[in-house]
Amino acid sequence: MKTSGDVTVVGAGPVGLLLATELALQGVRTTVLERLTARADTIKAQMISGRTYQMLAMRGFGPAVDAASEAEAAGLAWRPTGSTGHFAGLFKLDGLPLVMLSQQALERILEARALELGVEIRRGAEVTSLDLGSDYVVGCDGGRSTVRKLAGFDFPGTDPTLTGYQAVVDLDGDLPRGWQRTPTGVYASGPLKGRIMLLEFDGPPATRDVTRESLEAALRRVSGRDVRITAVHTSTVWTDNTRQATTYRRGNVLLAGDAAHVHSPFGGQGLNLGLQDALNLGWKLATGDSALIDTYTAERHPVAERVLRNTMAQVALTRPDPHSRELHALVDDLLDLPEVKTRISAMIQGTDIRYATDCDHPLAGTFVPGLDLSDGKGTSIALDGLEATVRPDGYISGIAA
């Protein structure tokens, strides 16, 4: 069963574009409205997790992602060894499968597929009302979501305690690679040529516009080094503002990605979280089954809530005060324990997600990698001599003899 009308997706970022392809794949008429007239070229997410890669691959995006990833890796100033992720700057999550892929490259891949499937993308279209003539409206319009505000979603959480910067610059002076902790924050450079990152606690309030002068001043304050920024090619500023909508649905309006949850980018979890929201929601929304659509909040809200908790914990570990430094040292020791490392790695990657089902088999509700679900339909597979039913998003809904 398909919706009798259509769906309007607000926001042409990766979450909105992936949701649009999911809906179009199910035969739903889909329109994407985007306030910006062109794709933003500011520095954003640079990697996706191995689980997100597996989920994109099941839809047939693997070859395009591989090609884009290899092209971007060729431009690295240096290549990180292995696939080590971090927790609060502790680079001990070795074996973590990460795929280099900029948000802009991912958006190009998803947009091409959306257009191929007949999705209408309208740029320069600013939403001021939710009276859009659609059966459903989905807000994928970021942390300052207009859709969320217009629909009246509650968005409780905590205010910022730090200001973070990412930028690609021309630098006069040297910065060591890797995370460097200082009495006022953290700074790092690489692996992309000219890329810097810094976190400043208890500094000037964050502003959306980053100038060369303000970025240089922040870098000098945090690093304590006599460095100069001679040019800024791209930059972005962020905070640890942490909030989550109490529900992801109000009537015919739904939220996905940063519109539903915001947090600091520690661990690079935000993009992956939003893309997996889209893959969970798309096939459900296409059915028009209200009870099934409600399971989107039931399944995805706890997942995001856990991400919010672990990013807040990472911020606390990173603070430069003496107590936080000792806590950081303790967690550093704990991450040498294989069981702790495995638990944290699974949490960051989302590989331990298990959705509730009526089946008590230990694999029910878990994800099955390696399947070809490019048609957007579910399937059945043999599993330990039993038959497992796999949903369109790759998760097992039940196992029977």
Side-chain angles (χ1 to χ4, degrees):
M1 294 177 61
K2 304 293 189 295
T3 54
S4 58
D6 55 17
V7 175
T8 297
V9 176
V10 181
V15 176
L17 290 170
L18 181 57
L19 178 60
T21 67
E22 289 290 290
L23 291 166
L25 197 60
Q26 301 290 342
V28 178
R29 292 195 308 273
T30 307
T31 301
V32 177
L33 304 180
E34 170 55 53
R35 176 179 59 85
L36 300 177
T37 56
R39 185 177 294 110
D41 62 356
T42 55
I43 186 170
K44 296 184 178 179
Q46 297 294 314
M47 292 186 178
I48 59 173
S49 70
R51 175 49 47 86
T52 298
Y53 175 82
Q54 291 172 335
M55 299 183 81
L56 292 173
M58 78 180 182
R59 286 291 191 264
F61 289 112
V65 169
D66 290 342
S69 177
E70 184 59 32
E72 292 185 345
L76 289 178
W78 58 278
R79 289 194 181 214
T81 57
S83 54
T84 302
H86 76 87
F87 188 79
L90 296 168
F91 286 81
K92 292 191 171 183
L93 304 184
D94 50 293
L96 208 62
L98 302 171
V99 179
M100 174 158 285
L101 184 70
S102 69
Q103 183 167 319
Q104 287 87 344
L106 178 58
E107 287 177 5
R108 288 192 290 270
I109 292 169
L110 296 175
E111 182 170 333
R113 180 60 171 150
L115 292 173
E116 181 183 292
L117 291 171
V119 173
E120 181 181 1
I121 301 174
R122 301 179 189 172
R123 296 190 178 274
E126 185 166 3
V127 172
T128 58
S129 166
L130 296 182
D131 185 16
L132 300 173
S134 301
D135 281 0
Y136 293 95
V137 175
V138 186
C140 301
D141 50 342
R144 298 180 177 87
S145 173
T146 297
V147 172
R148 186 185 67 235
K149 294 171 184 175
L150 289 173
F153 284 87
D154 291 330
F155 201 51
T158 60
D159 293 331
T161 67
L162 66 80
T163 300
Y165 303 87
Q166 289 188 82
V168 176
V169 302
D170 291 338
L171 193 65
D172 181 7
D174 294 325
L175 291 176
R177 293 168 182 161
W179 280 44
Q180 309 296 324
R181 292 171 64 96
T182 76
T184 56
V186 173
Y187 71 99
S189 66
L192 296 175
K193 184 178 180 180
R195 182 177 176 180
I196 61 171
M197 181 281 295
L198 62 140
L199 316 175
E200 184 173 24
F201 292 90
D202 304 319
T207 60
R208 297 184 65 180
D209 296 323
V210 181
T211 65
R212 185 197 65 78
E213 293 81 6
S214 65
L215 185 58
E216 179 182 276
L219 179 58
R220 290 169 66 87
R221 283 194 304 268
V222 173
S223 70
R225 287 175 168 259
D226 184 18
V227 292
R228 303 287 179 183
I229 294 176
T230 57
V232 178
H233 300 287
T234 180
S235 64
T236 186
V237 63
W238 50 269
T239 72
D240 61 328
N241 177 42
T242 303
R243 299 183 180 280
Q244 184 179 24
T246 53
T247 179
Y248 292 174
R249 180 186 184 189
R250 284 179 60 88
N252 71 334
V253 181
L254 296 105
L255 304 175
D258 288 351
H261 38 71
V262 295
H263 52 85
S264 74
F266 275 88
Q269 299 171 83
L271 176 59
N272 298 288
L273 184 62
L275 292 171
Q276 292 177 32
D277 283 349
L279 287 163
N280 186 284
L281 175 60
W283 65 277
K284 295 176 178 178
L285 190 57
T287 67
D289 182 332
S290 187
L292 181 60
I293 296 169
D294 280 341
T295 67
Y296 166 60
T297 293
E299 290 185 346
R300 295 302 297 170
H301 195 280
V303 174
E305 186 176 21
R306 187 173 66 162
V307 171
L308 267 63
R309 290 201 304 268
N310 87 58
T311 53
M312 290 178 70
Q314 291 184 72
V315 169
L317 287 170
T318 308
R319 290 194 67 85
D321 63 88
H323 297 84
S324 298
R325 283 182 172 273
E326 293 306 318
L327 184 60
H328 191 270
L330 174 61
V331 174
D332 190 1
D333 287 342
L334 290 174
L335 282 172
D336 288 331
L337 300 174
E339 59 270 33
V340 174
K341 185 179 298 185
T342 298
R343 177 72 175 269
I344 297 295
S345 295
M347 178 179 65
I348 296 293
Q349 289 273 298
T351 53
D352 58 352
I353 293 172
R354 181 182 179 186
Y355 296 133
T357 72
D358 294 330
C359 178
D360 59 4
H361 190 283
L363 293 178
T366 63
F367 180 77
V368 183
L371 298 180
D372 180 359
L373 302 179
S374 55
D375 60 0
K377 296 181 173 62
T379 190
S380 295
I381 60 171
L383 186 67
D384 296 334
L386 304 174
E387 183 179 26
T389 302
V390 181
R391 309 185 324 186
D393 60 354
Y395 281 84
I396 297 173
S397 59
I399 300 176

